[in-house]
Amino acid sequence: MAKAFDRIPRRALARARLGALVAAALAPAVAMAQLAPDAAQAKAAETERQMTDDERFSMLVSLIGEVPSIGVPRDPRIPAEVDNMSAGYTPGIPRLGIPAFQSSDASMGVTNPGYRPDDKGATAFPALILAGSTFNPELSRLGGAAIGREARSRGFNIQLAGGINLQREVRNGRNYEYYSEDPWVSAVMASAAVGGIQGEGVISTLKHYTLNANETNRHWLDAIVDPAGHRESDLLAFQIAIEKSQPGSIMCGYNKINGDYACGNDLLLNKLLKDTWGYKGYVMSDWGATPAWDYALKGLDQESGIQLDVQQWGAEAFTDKLRKAYADGGFPKERLSDMVRRMLYAAYSVGIDKWGAAPEVDLAKHNAIALDMARQGIVLLKNDGVLPLAAGRKLKIAVIGGHAQEGIIAGTGSGAVKPVGGYAGVVKIGGAGIMGAGRNMHLFAPSPLAELEKAFPDATIDFDPGYTPAEAALTARRADIVVAFGIRVEGEGFDNVDLSLPWGQDAVIDAVAGANPNTIVVLETGNPASMPWRNKVKAILQAWYPGQAGARAIAEILAGKVNPSGRLPITFPESLEQTPRPELAGLGTPWGTPTTIRYDEGAEVGYRWYAQKDLKPMYPFGHGLGYTSFAYRGLKVEGGNTVTATFTVTNTGKRAGADVPQQYLVGAPDGKRMRLLGFERVELKPGESRKVTLTADPRLLAKFDAEANQWRIAGGSYRLALGKSAGDLQLSDAATLTGRLFGK
Ligand code: BGC
């Protein structure tokens, strides 16, 4: 495999304007020894041939470290000298030069939800939904590389990063760990991060294969979807991301898909992923997602966190059963070898067997990457002229609620990162199920209040905790400007029941907006909020979970030091009534209740659904405001086997800024549908123009023909539109496509 860094287009880097930061972050810490696919496969086969069966079996499971909150003690099978435990440990085979396989979670940085009390903390990057909002794959790659270095410095050679489930359901508690509702955005952003991680010699994972779109009863959840629609949506995101980044491993999810568990799904693992797509790496289960040994026959290569399977399913260990089946002839030798070879292939192609000294970790540089992400991914949803606030004025600002005096919040679950220096605060929330005990509100310093004080040195700033609406209104009334924070801790194991803010915050915001017409709301949530006060406030900033540098980015955007450029990677509905499932099956049933969720929207996820049903959401996919304006002209679209669009973007305002022009399919001869075909983040000075060319992956124009088992483009005229968002299309053109069946 070529080093990931060799594949970064130089022009794109220049455009990303990260200057010295890029150069420094791109210098690989140590020379890598990554093998090309054929060489890696050959070496894997050669090593595997020399193994004993005991050695082979020893590779097929991983052990989770001690996690008191879920009742998992340290496992005696983990050697005493291993002092860097995290999500997974598989012993190495030193006589064959095979290192131990050690994984940690990494959605937002190298995690540590309690495993290593002495760990001094890692860079807490923004949530993946914010990374998605940057529409900047180069930044995603830089974030991945930083995570790769921090992982490697701790001895972790596998990162459980790459959450690529589509955000199908605005109540899904884990949407913050996923990039987008769109397959192309998700694939482009995730593959960049995987490339960044693997470029540092650390295996990366794409997860959770597939359709783990809800947390409700996730171990008992059957996700029902039309198979062709599945190919055009969630599976397409995986397919493209795999092609672009060759992740060493894929994690199968907890749920069932059309009746079969994801980790025991012959159709999706053996037939599609491995046979049809030719995936060469290994499939690991999610932690506690392997109730049966014969998943090994259905495509699962490694059982993860074996203790959790025992806890969950009361099962005798996977390998013990495999050994019995092996002895009885039910589990063939070729498959055992294949499982091991796939793991070794991942190891050799990424180079985890050839690590030199631990890399230098420059935390200041990593903080700068986290800050750049937050600056580019925070989305200005609404601005009635109040922003940016003039920093020089002697303003009286009231900062209300959201623990803004204490810190920035993050999502909860296995992806939780302990930042350098520890948390600014932890509020225990709790709840049912295995994730309940670890459901916490983690706060990162510095606080928004402190950063606002820095950004507005001439202002008088009063803080009110938002304890009651009446009390908050008193503070709001005395101020020129109100900055009200709305927070919602979302996370693993829980879906949101509705889109309101918890702890009565909607009433507090409503009261302060009533008391002061100059109210700005900053939302720290992992999903859209209902915002019943929306028409009463002057501006709304969607900050997601912006990570350890998030408070600074928020203050800089409010003060106009940074021109916001984030775009929504998920549609904000007017209400749940507009979404495909106003009622969410299983909500309110006890943990462990078998639940079926029908994803009848099929491929029509997010903005595609709104276009299909002619619905106008609250804020469309791709929406985001800034402090300058952009104009598009000269759209020309060429057809043939795919479409190539050319157009010019001009910054027509008075400030430098970034725009994300988006190319959509809006009309096809074989049925109504909308598809994002391409996007590019363009940074322009005032008056500056740039010509942009976008060529679509033809699968985005096609439908999947389940009978032919191929992609089908119907010949004829296709309508394309260039937009600022899915709801703001500016120019359109038509192109003729050649009818054809192609690909797999
Ligand atoms: C999550 C995975 C995670 C794993 C290991 C599971 O609970 O679903 O995303 O990688 O734990 O921590």
Side-chain angles (χ1 to χ4, degrees):
M1 182 192 288
K3 260 186 248 155
F5 293 145
D6 296 342
R7 297 195 299 265
I8 302 177
R10 295 287 148 208
R11 222 160 32 92
L13 281 179
R15 277 198 301 272
R17 296 244 172 98
L18 292 165
L21 174 64
V22 172
L26 282 184
V30 216
M32 303 306 163
Q34 302 184 326
L35 294 184
D38 286 353
Q41 264 186 319
K43 186 169 173 188
E46 177 52 34
T47 309
E48 186 274 332
R49 261 194 292 276
Q50 300 170 50
M51 290 167 92
T52 65
D53 278 350
D54 276 347
E55 287 169 338
R56 292 187 179 96
F57 277 106
S58 74
M59 288 189 66
L60 303 187
V61 294
S62 76
L63 292 153
I64 188 173
E66 176 182 5
V67 198
S69 69
I70 55 171
V72 177
R74 181 162 177 116
D75 194 289
R77 287 166 288 186
I78 301 167
E81 65 274 14
V82 178
D83 59 0
N84 60 339
M85 273 310 295
S86 191
Y89 170 85
T90 301
I93 305 174
R95 76 172 185 95
L96 295 173
I98 303 171
F101 281 55
Q102 286 191 260
S103 65
S104 81
D105 278 291
S107 293
M108 279 92 39
V110 179
T111 61
N112 189 4
Y115 295 114
R116 301 176 308 283
D118 296 337
D119 192 316
K120 301 261 177 309
T123 305
F125 288 93
L128 293 188
I129 195 167
L130 183 146
S133 306
T134 68
F135 283 72
N136 185 345
E138 282 69 41
L139 200 45
S140 188
R141 188 182 300 277
L142 287 176
I147 287 174
R149 281 190 296 273
E150 293 194 22
R152 194 167 163 167
S153 73
R154 289 170 168 78
F156 298 133
N157 48 20
I158 302 166
Q159 289 294 273
L160 310 172
I164 198 178
N165 297 92
L166 298 190
Q167 295 152 344
R168 280 183 175 263
E169 167 54 65
V170 289
R171 281 162 291 198
N172 178 22
R174 283 188 98 175
N175 275 353
Y176 78 95
E177 285 192 74
Y178 305 139
Y179 288 95
S180 169
E181 68 186 20
D182 178 74
W184 178 248
V185 176
S186 303
V188 168
M189 299 302 293
S191 57
V194 168
I197 293 172
Q198 296 203 154
E200 292 295 322
V202 174
I203 293 172
S204 188
T205 307
L206 285 177
K207 68 187 188 185
H208 309 86
Y209 189 80
T210 165
L211 226 61
N212 188 176
N214 282 98
E215 290 298 291
T216 298
N217 289 315
R218 61 184 184 175
H219 292 82
W220 301 271
L221 168 65
D222 193 1
I224 306 295
V225 74
D226 155 52
H230 195 192
R231 288 296 307 267
E232 294 168 29
S233 55
D234 294 67
L235 285 171
L236 185 56
F238 274 99
Q239 186 178 8
I240 296 174
I242 290 168
E243 291 165 2
K244 281 179 175 291
S245 61
Q246 282 115 46
S249 62
I250 303 286
M251 186 193 297
C252 46
Y254 287 121
N255 52 296
K256 296 177 186 169
I257 301 111
N258 294 337
D260 282 331
Y261 271 113
C263 294
N265 203 306
D266 184 55
L267 218 56
L268 292 176
L269 297 177
N270 280 337
K271 303 221 162 56
L272 185 65
L273 177 71
K274 294 181 174 176
D275 294 349
T276 308
W277 295 347
Y279 177 66
K280 297 187 178 64
Y282 70 104
V283 175
M284 64 165 79
S285 66
D286 201 340
W287 274 238
T290 314
W293 76 265
D294 68 347
Y295 285 16
L297 302 179
K298 313 245 170 89
L300 178 70
D301 298 306
Q302 196 195 34
E303 181 198 30
S304 312
I306 180 175
Q307 306 101 302
L308 295 190
D309 277 322
V310 174
Q311 198 182 66
Q312 178 75 31
W313 308 107
E316 191 187 328
F318 180 73
T319 43
D320 296 344
K321 289 193 182 162
L322 278 183
R323 276 175 186 266
K324 271 187 216 136
Y326 188 61
D328 300 347
F331 175 50
K333 170 85 192 310
E334 302 78 68
R335 178 62 188 129
L336 173 62
S337 297
D338 178 49
M339 291 161 90
V340 171
R341 287 178 189 195
R342 285 174 173 277
M343 293 184 63
L344 293 174
Y345 166 81
Y348 298 146
S349 62
V350 176
I352 68 168
D353 59 321
K354 290 278 188 283
W355 278 10
E360 282 292 312
V361 171
D362 187 335
L363 288 170
K365 267 188 206 128
H366 292 186
N367 186 61
I369 296 170
L371 176 61
D372 257 324
M373 279 188 176
R375 285 171 170 164
Q376 295 183 27
I378 291 175
V379 185
L380 180 59
L381 294 176
K382 167 175 176 167
N383 184 14
D384 284 351
V386 68
L387 291 177
L389 297 172
R393 279 174 51 202
K394 291 203 177 311
L395 288 173
K396 273 191 275 168
I397 303 176
V399 174
I400 312 272
H403 289 256
Q405 84 286 23
E406 221 183 337
I408 279 286
I409 70 158
T412 177
S414 57
V417 177
K418 185 174 93 179
V420 180
Y423 298 116
V426 179
V427 177
K428 289 204 167 294
I429 299 174
I434 191 174
M435 300 307 290
R439 189 185 185 199
N440 295 330
M441 178 165 81
H442 291 132
L443 289 141
F444 301 150
S447 72
L449 181 60
E451 288 295 326
L452 284 166
E453 281 165 348
K454 248 196 244 164
F456 297 95
D458 301 322
T460 311
I461 303 189
D462 273 353
F463 176 73
D464 180 281
Y467 191 51
T468 69
E471 190 182 303
L474 290 180
T475 311
R477 204 165 286 133
R478 292 197 304 266
D480 303 319
I481 296 282
V482 175
V483 182
F485 285 79
I487 60 175
R488 187 171 64 205
V489 180
E490 301 170 41
E492 197 175 331
F494 300 90
D495 286 325
N496 299 321
V497 173
D498 58 27
L499 303 184
S500 65
L501 297 177
W503 300 318
Q505 294 174 90
D506 283 320
V508 170
I509 296 175
D510 192 74
V512 300
N516 190 319
N518 292 319
T519 295
I520 297 159
V521 177
V522 179
L523 291 172
E524 295 167 40
T525 63
N527 263 303
S530 53
M531 307 186 219
W533 32 260
R534 177 166 59 113
N535 295 328
K536 285 170 100 172
V537 304
K538 283 260 162 68
I540 306 170
L541 202 60
Q542 180 64 47
W544 307 118
Y545 302 135
Q548 67 180 34
R552 174 161 165 200
I554 290 169
E556 288 175 339
I557 288 172
L558 295 181
K561 209 175 148 211
V562 165
N563 188 352
S565 58
R567 301 288 185 267
L568 291 181
I570 181 173
T571 307
F572 276 45
E574 275 294 350
S575 74
L576 288 171
E577 292 309 311
Q578 281 190 329
T579 70
R581 275 165 299 283
E583 302 284 328
L584 185 57
L587 268 186
T589 55
W591 175 256
T593 309
T595 300
T596 299
I597 301 191
R598 301 192 60 89
Y599 296 106
D600 284 341
E601 72 277 22
E604 307 309 306
V605 182
Y607 66 89
R608 298 173 167 192
W609 166 263
Y610 289 78
Q612 194 67 239
K613 302 282 172 202
D614 292 319
L615 293 166
K616 193 172 178 303
M618 183 195 286
Y619 294 113
F621 171 88
H623 168 76
L625 305 172
Y627 301 149
T628 187
S629 50
F630 296 94
Y632 306 152
R633 68 188 149 82
L635 174 68
K636 276 214 185 61
V637 182
E638 273 172 36
N641 277 343
T642 184
V643 296
T644 297
T646 317
F647 54 90
T648 300
V649 191
T650 304
N651 182 344
T652 52
K654 294 198 173 62
R655 294 189 50 143
D659 188 28
V660 184
Q662 301 151 38
Q663 180 69 44
Y664 291 94
L665 165 70
V666 291
D670 54 346
K672 181 175 176 179
R673 62 184 184 276
M674 188 172 194
R675 301 283 185 265
L676 178 72
L677 300 178
F679 64 86
E680 185 151 316
R681 191 171 188 279
V682 189
E683 294 203 5
L684 295 172
K685 295 196 191 78
E688 196 187 352
S689 295
R690 176 148 327 125
K691 193 166 172 188
V692 176
T693 301
L694 298 172
T695 299
D697 184 311
R699 287 168 291 194
L700 297 168
L701 293 153
K703 290 183 95 165
F704 192 75
D705 183 331
E707 237 163 72
N709 205 22
Q710 283 203 288
W711 296 91
R712 180 187 291 281
I713 289 188
S717 176
Y718 285 69
R719 191 103 214 130
L720 292 309
L722 176 64
K724 289 181 183 289
S725 74
D728 184 3
L729 304 176
Q730 305 256 317
L731 300 175
S732 85
D733 195 7
T736 303
L737 288 181
T738 317
R740 62 183 178 120
L741 271 176
F742 65 99
K744 291 186 274 183

